[in-house]
Structures are given as C-alpha cells and as structure tokens.
Amino acid sequence: MSQTLYLECYSGISGDMTVAALLDLGADQQLLKKALKSLPITGFETVISRVKKAGLDVCDFQVILDQDNHDHDMAYLHGDDHHHQGEKHTHHHLTEPGHYHPHQEKKNHSHDHRGLPEIVEIINQAQITDHAKALAIRIFSIIADAEAKAHGVDRERVHFHEVGAVDSIVDIVAVAVCLDNLDIRAVIVPEVYEGRGFVRCQHGTIPIPVLAVTHIAASHQLNLHITSTEGELITPTGAAIVAAIKTCDQLPRQFAIEKTGIGAGKRTYDRPSLLRAMLITDKSKKNGDIYKLETNIDDCGGEILGFVMERLFEAGARDVHYIPVYMKKNRPAYLLNVICSEADIETLEQIIFEETTTIGIRRIQMESIGLKRTIKRMLPGCYSVRKNRSLDRR
C-alpha cells in the first residue's frame, strides 16, 4: 500500500541526510547495500550508523571515497576561519577534456569526468527496480538542467567530476531505492530552509543559495525560507531530490504520524543538521468535497445566464445562482455562483468558460451543515420532505 511522506526541512536537505532519514523510517538496509553493490563503479564504500545530534539518536549515512575531495572540506568551502565539522557536499561543474582543475596538481592524481548519458547508463545497469531507476535518472536530469542554465551552456556539456559523481550517484540511487522500498508515492514538502553568505566551489566563491539551487527552486516551484544561518543548508542534490519527488506543499489540516525517521547531516551551524521524515495519514474531516465556483461577469445578458444555469444543473451542479452586482466604474454585472462536488469541478468550469464571457473562475472549498432529510409518501403520487432535528454534517 502506497504511503504519504512528509519531509521537514528546517535544517535544509542533502542527499546523505535524505538517505539516512529514509533508512531510519524503515527502508531495508540490506536491500540498499545490495543495490549499491550492483552499481558498476568503484572507489567508495558506505557506512550506516547511529549518531547523536542535539542529544537525539539519529541515523547517519556516509559515503567514504577512496580519493579526497574539497567538497567535504569545511575550511575550503567557507574559509579557514570556519571551525565547524565538515560535511560532504558536492558542487558539480562544467569540464571538458584538457581543462585544468586547480586541485589536480596539488592532489597529484587525475580525475575523469562523466556526463549525464554515462551516469544514466550506470544507473540502468544497477540491479534495482525500474521505478527506482526512473527516479534516480530524473533527479540527475534536474541537476544537469540546473547546472547547464547556471553556466549558460547546453545540457550535453555538463560533466560531473569523477569524485563528486561517485558521491552523487550513490546518494541519489540510495534515495530512489529507499523511496521505492517504502512504496512512497506522495511526498509533502511545505518549504525548505536555506542559509546565507558565500561558499567556495571549483569556479570560485559564490553566493548562497547557489545558482543550481535557485534554478531548481524556480523551475519546480520549491518554497524557500531564507534563515539567518551563515552557511549552505540546501545542496543541489538535496534540491533536486525535493523537485523530483514533491507532489504537494500543503499538509492536511489534521494528520496522524505513523512513523518518524531522522537523518543526520555532517555540519553543525547554529541549528542541528537534521532532516525529519514522517509517514502520515490524512485525518482531516471530510466535508463532502463541497466547492463553490465563483466568477464576475460584466458583459453577459441574463437570458444567457439562464441557459448556462440549465447546463450546469444538467452537468451535476448542486446549486446555481447569479445575483446583480456593480463593478468598477459602476458597471452593472452578475456574480455567478455554482455549488458542486470536487469530481464535477472540471466539467462545470468548462461549461462556464464555453458559455459565458468570463476569463477566470475562483475555486473555494467549503464546509456545509444541514438538517437530515427523508422523503416520505403522504398520498398516492405525492411526496413530502421531512426535516429531522438532528444535524447532517457534510
């Protein structure tokens, strides 16, 4: 049975934090390890452990790479005066054969680079479900699109640094496998908290949120909340994960928490680096799915609206009425109101657009209360509606 996931991103989000939270939520560790072993790449190992964050016992997921990487170096990311514990963080960047990387000579080893097609091929060779493959590829595609836009080049020219690519492949595939294992199909992310300031990457020092994150947020309608924290809370991978899996940004008015998982990040700013994930069930009182469709019409005659009323009733409207109103410059007009169920909204709106001159309709979800009604036969061929004193809440 598919489940609804709520991600509480008050400390931002990254790939490893997401994996850890999903594991803490109950994703199968052995299944994940088997899936990651099937990846046709080397140079990494993973460690799943329990750690203490702000006194809480939480899950930690760590990708240990054979080669060091500046993306893990807090002093490099934020300057030598930053004394917080380092957190792995991958900033992808553009490369082409022969391009020089400042840290290559210092590290005294060469790095290959992978483009999106090569990464897609790696994911497709993994022994994971088709759904997990599709999700992992979608997350990587979102990152590639954002990086291409940030650097002003075609998506095909975006390459992922060898070390960073391994890191990201493992994190992203792990997220996809865990979500698939938990059978998550609906994900609610109301907002994602981000810090401020600057962070150092391959191309120099750049402002927070980094361009890849802002492009992802803009393209996928993510709700950002900028905090006073000096530092980067949202990684491009974390933003891409939210963009790929979010189905809603509104929590139910009432819900039950079935299970909670908390994943640890690797940084310590002025707030603990934690990502909380909850499996929830909507417990909001159902109100019969009553909606009101409302529109102002200032250039349509009453006889036309009478015809529209007939069509709306025939199409399932529960009630229809229109009343005279005065609009700007005292123009006489009509306010059309339609009461209907959620299932009939699309059909009724289509009728209103087809038969009237309106260019916009307001939708309002409503609650209703009324007396229970029963129909009783009083005389042959005659019926009477009897109102009971008990309330009928719909």
Side-chain angles (χ1 to χ4, degrees):
M1 181 178 178
S2 62
Q3 303 189 83
T4 298
L5 175 68
Y6 163 43
L7 289 180
E8 189 181 74
C9 304
Y10 292 149
S11 296
I13 185 170
S14 64
D16 59 328
M17 292 169 72
T18 308
V19 179
L22 295 174
L23 288 170
D24 203 32
L25 208 52
D28 191 326
Q29 291 190 22
Q30 297 307 313
L31 177 71
L32 176 60
K33 290 179 180 178
K34 182 179 178 182
L36 296 179
K37 273 190 176 180
S38 73
L39 288 169
I41 54 176
T42 58
F44 77 94
E45 62 176 305
T46 59
V47 176
I48 301 170
S49 62
R50 309 297 300 184
V51 298
K52 293 289 185 181
K53 277 275 187 179
L56 302 177
D57 177 60
V58 299
C59 183
D60 180 68
F61 177 78
Q62 186 173 8
V63 181
I64 301 175
L65 303 170
D66 289 349
Q67 298 175 352
D68 195 10
N69 185 6
H70 279 317
D71 296 330
H72 303 227
D73 187 344
M74 201 69 171
Y76 174 83
L77 290 175
H78 294 283
D80 293 334
D81 58 339
H82 205 301
H83 301 296
H84 298 298
Q85 179 185 359
E87 175 178 0
K88 73 172 191 169
H89 183 107
T90 301
H91 277 288
H92 309 295
H93 55 274
L94 295 172
T95 59
E96 291 183 278
H99 278 209
Y100 173 71
H101 296 279
H103 63 282
Q104 278 186 331
E105 202 168 68
K106 180 179 178 181
K107 290 293 183 183
N108 197 28
H109 58 68
S110 63
H111 293 311
D112 296 328
H113 302 88
R114 293 187 171 108
L116 185 60
E118 290 82 7
I119 291 174
V120 169
E121 181 60 29
I122 289 171
I123 294 171
N124 281 329
Q125 291 182 44
Q127 295 177 16
I128 59 179
T129 66
D130 289 341
H131 180 265
K133 288 179 182 178
L135 178 55
I137 292 170
R138 172 165 166 74
I139 295 170
F140 256 111
S141 298
I142 290 171
I143 296 174
D145 287 339
E147 293 289 352
K149 188 172 183 180
H151 294 281
V153 299
D154 294 335
R155 173 172 161 174
E156 289 71 26
R157 290 187 59 198
V158 175
H159 289 72
F160 296 81
H161 188 283
E162 170 66 13
V163 178
V166 170
D167 210 5
S168 295
I169 289 170
V170 174
D171 279 348
I172 290 171
V173 169
V175 167
V177 168
C178 289
L179 286 168
D180 186 67
N181 177 241
L182 292 170
D183 197 18
I184 303 295
R185 292 297 183 269
V187 181
I188 302 171
V189 188
E191 57 186 345
V192 187
Y193 279 44
E194 174 63 296
R196 62 181 67 203
F198 292 85
V199 65
R200 188 182 303 175
C201 72
Q202 180 64 27
H203 300 282
T205 301
I206 56 178
I208 299 169
V210 299
L211 272 180
V213 170
T214 61
H215 288 319
I216 292 171
S219 299
H220 299 274
Q221 293 79 54
L222 307 189
N223 298 324
L224 297 187
H225 182 118
I226 303 300
T227 71
S228 60
T229 297
E230 291 289 334
E232 185 180 23
L233 302 181
I234 307 174
T235 71
T237 298
I241 289 169
V242 174
I245 67 176
K246 179 174 74 77
T247 58
C248 181
D249 57 12
Q250 293 291 328
L251 280 167
R253 286 175 296 175
Q254 294 179 330
F255 60 90
I257 300 173
E258 307 298 335
K259 197 168 184 182
T260 300
I262 303 179
K266 308 299 186 293
R267 293 181 187 172
T268 302
Y269 287 127
D270 57 353
R271 64 186 66 210
S273 185
L274 299 171
L275 175 67
R276 183 156 62 174
M278 307 178 199
L279 295 178
I280 66 172
T281 301
D282 188 353
K283 295 293 184 180
S284 303
K285 293 182 179 179
K286 303 302 180 182
N287 297 301
D289 294 326
I290 301 297
Y291 282 79
K292 178 171 74 170
L293 308 181
E294 180 180 276
T295 182
N296 296 357
I297 305 172
D298 65 355
D299 53 356
C300 190
E303 63 278 6
I304 295 177
L305 290 176
F307 170 72
V308 173
M309 178 185 285
E310 292 179 5
R311 282 205 61 190
L312 292 171
F313 275 126
E314 290 172 359
R318 297 190 180 189
D319 193 14
V320 181
H321 71 270
Y322 53 93
I323 56 177
V325 294
Y326 288 94
M327 297 178 63
K328 57 187 175 182
K329 297 183 180 180
N330 285 324
R331 289 200 307 268
Y334 291 98
L335 174 63
L336 175 65
N337 281 289
V338 180
I339 305 300
C340 64
S341 63
E342 185 176 14
D344 294 325
I345 288 177
E346 187 175 349
T347 300
L348 298 178
E349 286 181 339
Q350 184 63 33
I351 292 173
I352 296 171
F353 282 127
E354 286 178 355
E355 302 294 352
T356 75
T357 55
T358 188
I359 59 173
I361 300 170
R362 295 179 291 276
R363 293 181 186 175
I364 306 168
Q365 188 171 11
M366 306 180 70
E367 298 181 5
S368 66
I369 185 171
L371 296 175
K372 292 182 179 179
R373 278 91 65 188
T374 59
I375 299 178
K376 293 188 176 182
R377 194 166 192 166
M378 307 297 290
L379 294 171
C382 298
Y383 293 86
S384 173
V385 177
R386 180 179 179 84
K387 297 180 181 179
N388 297 328
R389 291 183 179 274
S390 56
L391 292 178
D392 178 17
R393 297 183 182 273
R394 293 175 292 162

